Amino acid sequence: MGKMLGGEEEKDPDAEKKEEERQEALRQQEEERKAKYARMEAERESMRQGIRDKYGIKKKEEREAEAQAAMEQASEGSLTRPKKAVPAGCGDEEEEDETIMDTVMKYLPGPLADIFNK
């Protein structure tokens, strides 16, 4: 009645303690629930693994990793594979520019090379 008239509401001296106990009980229940579901999931995973072993099935992550490795290996000789960075020291030296004709001339026998040189 005092509350309706604008007075202060009556405070329960044990209200804080009860609220604290209630919060602790909720936390404890939540932890127990999480532990229960973690145990259930572990049991399910062991059962799944048994089935995978029995039938030779691989996990999704393993299949994806193998597929990625296969794609990388297949793209080694591909023209569309990403270019690798040139290691340091490669191409730094100045080399003589050699034309295709010079290369062909090296492998021709002497008399043929003389004909082309004229």
Side-chain angles (χ1 to χ4, degrees):
M1 189 73 161
K3 189 175 177 185
M4 287 182 175
L5 297 175
E8 292 183 26
E9 64 181 83
E10 296 175 23
K11 300 242 180 189
D12 186 14
D14 294 335
E16 250 182 65
K17 185 177 181 184
K18 288 179 183 177
E19 181 63 24
E20 194 174 292
E21 288 175 359
R22 188 180 73 80
Q23 292 294 331
E24 181 60 34
L26 288 173
R27 275 193 295 273
Q28 190 174 18
Q29 287 175 349
E30 184 69 18
E31 288 173 6
E32 290 172 1
R33 185 187 67 79
K34 286 181 180 180
K36 174 185 168 187
Y37 284 107
R39 280 193 309 273
M40 288 172 54
E41 186 60 29
E43 290 173 6
R44 288 179 186 143
E45 185 58 35
S46 66
M47 191 177 296
R48 289 181 196 125
Q49 189 59 47
I51 292 169
R52 281 188 213 107
D53 293 341
K54 182 177 179 181
Y55 294 105
I57 302 170
K58 295 182 181 176
K59 278 183 143 180
K60 185 176 182 181
E61 296 86 24
E62 292 174 3
R63 287 188 305 221
E64 290 173 354
E66 287 180 0
Q68 183 67 22
M71 289 295 288
E72 288 175 2
Q73 188 175 14
S75 69
E76 275 301 309
S78 173
L79 297 175
T80 60
R81 75 170 194 268
K83 296 189 181 215
K84 296 179 181 175
V86 178
C90 290
D92 292 343
E93 307 164 8
E94 289 187 30
E95 298 177 9
E96 284 185 31
D97 289 333
E98 201 172 87
T99 63
I100 295 174
M101 199 61 184
D102 294 334
T103 308
V104 170
M105 295 299 275
K106 285 183 188 177
Y107 296 105
L108 289 177
L112 283 177
D114 291 340
I115 293 173
F116 283 111
N117 283 336
K118 290 183 180 179

